[in-house]
């Protein structure tokens, strides 16, 4: 494998990491939006706040890696995509900022109107951001953003883009519900466990339907990707994603502890991302820009690999450890009772 091919593989790995980690947070925002009114949605939103608080900011680390690797390792690809689809990408960027601000400000806001406003901003942005990111990916997969392509609504408002956008929402809703069901068990809230299990199963069914529709749509609208998804490595990854999705559904239906459902859900989504990436080989943009044509200078690529290696050694273990602490309940915020006990111990 060439250096450019290796960097492209690293880029795909980081995209999958962001889709799974950031996607879980986007999914939590989706369920916040659909939780209902203040009384009905109080408990689901309580769980969403407690589950997201420790890790929601760190998930953007993967997005930063995606941007750095893209503009450094594949500058032609970066210029092509951002010039042709600046509008959906700009809307996605605004959504990332707004959802972060909404989530951070809705809890400390003193007035009910302020909490509702910030909560609505967080929830709506959590829905729109993955849609626009998915629409941009669909524009790439359908080959509508060849080098020199001018910005146009057709670049991202086409059948493949719209379907990828809906799939992005569905996958984030699926991941969010699976992880929230696990968090409900951690917080000993059996009612919320069942609540989010049912929603995870519903989201999984929607994703399955959209995936089937995608195969029909891409046959005519993105033939190169369809060919890659139905043959070779792409087909193997599609089958792996399907098996992992079925395993997740089976685990969610069990009455016993379904902690492994998180693992299988991540495998399902990550396999889908890899299936798309492998289906595009050897192109960054089918069928106009190959990996080798879009790569930066050889010296740049070697330095990029060195920096990536340093990140693997220093950053990735720290992020993985943070996720482990969060999923094992080691980062739960202190309660008033904890603070009182601490104060009493100091006085003693």
């Amino acid at each position: 494998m060439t250096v450019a091919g290796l960097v492209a593989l690293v880029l795909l790995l980081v995209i999958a990491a962001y889709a799974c980690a950031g996607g879980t947070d986007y999914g939590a925002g989706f369920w916040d939006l659909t939780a209902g009114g203040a009384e009905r949605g109080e408990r689901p939103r309580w769980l969403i706040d407690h589950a997201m608080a420790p890790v929601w900011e760190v998930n953007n680390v993967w997005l930063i890696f995606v941007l750095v690797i893209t503009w450094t390792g594949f500058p032609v690809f970066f210029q092509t995509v951002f010039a042709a689809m600046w509008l959906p990408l700009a809307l996605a960027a605004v959504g990332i900022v707004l959802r972060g601000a909404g989530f951070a400000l809705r809890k400390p806001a003193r007035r009910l109107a302020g909490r509702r406003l910030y909560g609505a901003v967080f929830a709506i942005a959590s829905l729109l951001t993955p849609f626009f990111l998915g629409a941009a990916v669909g524009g790439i997969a359908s080959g509508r953003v060849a080098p020199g392509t001018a910005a146009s609504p057709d670049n991202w408002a086409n059948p493949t883009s719209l379907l990828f956008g809906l799939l992005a929402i569905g996958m984030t809703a699926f991941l969010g519900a699976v992880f929230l069901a696990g968090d409900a068990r951690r917080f000993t809230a059996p009612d919320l466990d069942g609540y989010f299990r049912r929603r995870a199963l519903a989201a999984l069914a929607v994703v399955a339907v959209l995936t089937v529709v995608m195969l029909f749509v891409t046959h005519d609208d993105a033939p190169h990707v369809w060919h890659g998804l139905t043959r070779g490595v792409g087909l193997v990854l599609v089958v792996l994603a399907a098996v992992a999705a079925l395993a997740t559904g089976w685990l969610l239906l069990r009455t016993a502890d379904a902690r492994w459902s998180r693992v299988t859900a991540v495998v399902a989504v990550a396999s889908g991302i890899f299936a798309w990436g492998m289906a595009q080989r050897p192109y960054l943009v089918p069928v106009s820009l190959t990996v080798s044509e879009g790569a930066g200078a050889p010296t740049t690529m070697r330095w990029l690999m060195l920096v990536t290696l340093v990140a693997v050694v220093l950053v990735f273990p720290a992020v993985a450890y943070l996720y482990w602490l969060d999923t094992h309940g080691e980062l739960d915020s202190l309660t008033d009772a904890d603070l009182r006990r601490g104060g009493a111990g100091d006085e003693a």
Side-chain angles (χ1 to χ4, degrees):
M1 181 181 291
T2 64
V3 176
L6 187 58
V7 174
L9 180 59
V10 171
L11 177 60
L12 188 59
L13 280 167
V14 179
I15 291 173
Y18 182 64
C20 294
T24 302
D25 278 355
Y26 289 128
F30 176 87
W31 297 120
D32 187 290
L33 179 65
T34 58
E39 183 176 351
R40 179 186 172 192
E42 181 180 4
R43 279 183 58 73
R45 292 189 178 103
W46 166 84
L47 179 63
I48 289 168
D49 283 343
H50 281 74
M52 284 185 58
V55 296
W56 68 275
E57 289 180 291
V58 77
N59 289 329
N60 287 323
V61 167
W62 305 114
L63 179 59
I64 292 171
F65 272 109
V66 170
L67 293 173
V68 171
I69 292 174
T70 304
W71 81 54
T72 306
F74 304 101
V76 177
F77 176 62
F78 184 87
Q79 180 185 10
T80 298
V81 171
F82 276 78
M85 293 190 292
W86 65 268
L87 181 56
L89 293 173
L91 292 173
V94 171
I96 291 171
V97 173
L98 289 179
R99 74 181 299 273
F103 183 75
L105 294 175
R106 73 172 178 175
K107 287 186 68 175
R110 294 185 177 182
R111 295 183 178 180
L112 178 59
R115 290 197 297 271
R116 287 180 173 175
L117 174 62
Y118 292 130
V121 169
F122 160 70
I124 294 172
S126 297
L127 177 69
L128 296 179
T129 301
F131 173 80
F132 286 121
L133 290 174
V137 170
I140 295 170
S142 61
R144 286 179 164 85
V145 292
T149 302
S152 168
D154 182 62
N155 295 342
W156 58 276
N158 55 76
T160 301
S161 289
L162 295 177
L163 190 58
F164 271 52
L166 293 175
L167 261 174
I169 294 174
M171 287 192 297
T172 59
F174 167 62
L175 281 172
V178 170
F179 273 73
L180 286 168
D183 287 319
R185 293 190 294 276
R186 176 158 59 91
F187 286 105
T188 61
D191 59 322
L192 292 178
D193 181 14
Y195 176 93
F196 282 112
R197 283 197 195 202
R198 291 190 295 273
R199 280 152 179 77
L201 289 168
L204 178 57
V206 171
V207 169
V209 171
L210 289 173
T211 301
V212 173
V213 174
M214 180 197 68
L215 291 176
F216 285 99
V217 171
T218 54
H219 181 272
D220 296 323
D221 201 51
H224 182 82
V225 170
W226 179 86
H227 187 276
L229 290 173
T230 55
R231 290 169 177 80
V233 178
L235 179 59
V236 171
L237 290 167
V238 169
V239 172
L240 176 60
V243 171
L246 289 173
T248 305
W250 179 76
L251 290 168
L252 290 170
L253 288 171
R254 292 180 60 190
T255 56
D257 183 10
R259 67 183 66 185
W260 281 101
S261 61
R262 289 182 169 186
V263 176
T264 55
V266 168
V267 171
V269 173
S271 298
I273 299 296
F274 270 90
W276 157 66
M278 293 295 104
Q280 289 197 175
R281 291 183 307 166
Y283 296 100
L284 292 169
V285 179
V287 285
S288 59
L289 183 66
T290 65
V291 170
S292 59
E293 291 171 346
T299 302
T300 301
M301 301 299 278
R302 287 193 291 269
W303 277 105
L304 181 58
M305 286 304 302
L306 177 61
V307 172
T308 301
L309 180 61
V310 172
V312 168
V313 173
L314 298 181
V315 179
F316 290 6
V319 174
Y321 184 54
L322 178 63
Y323 288 149
W324 185 91
L325 290 173
D326 179 48
T327 55
H328 287 74
E330 301 293 334
L331 299 178
D332 296 343
S333 57
L334 293 175
T335 64
D336 290 340
D338 294 327
L339 294 175
R340 292 192 187 98
R341 284 198 298 269
D346 291 341
E347 290 176 1

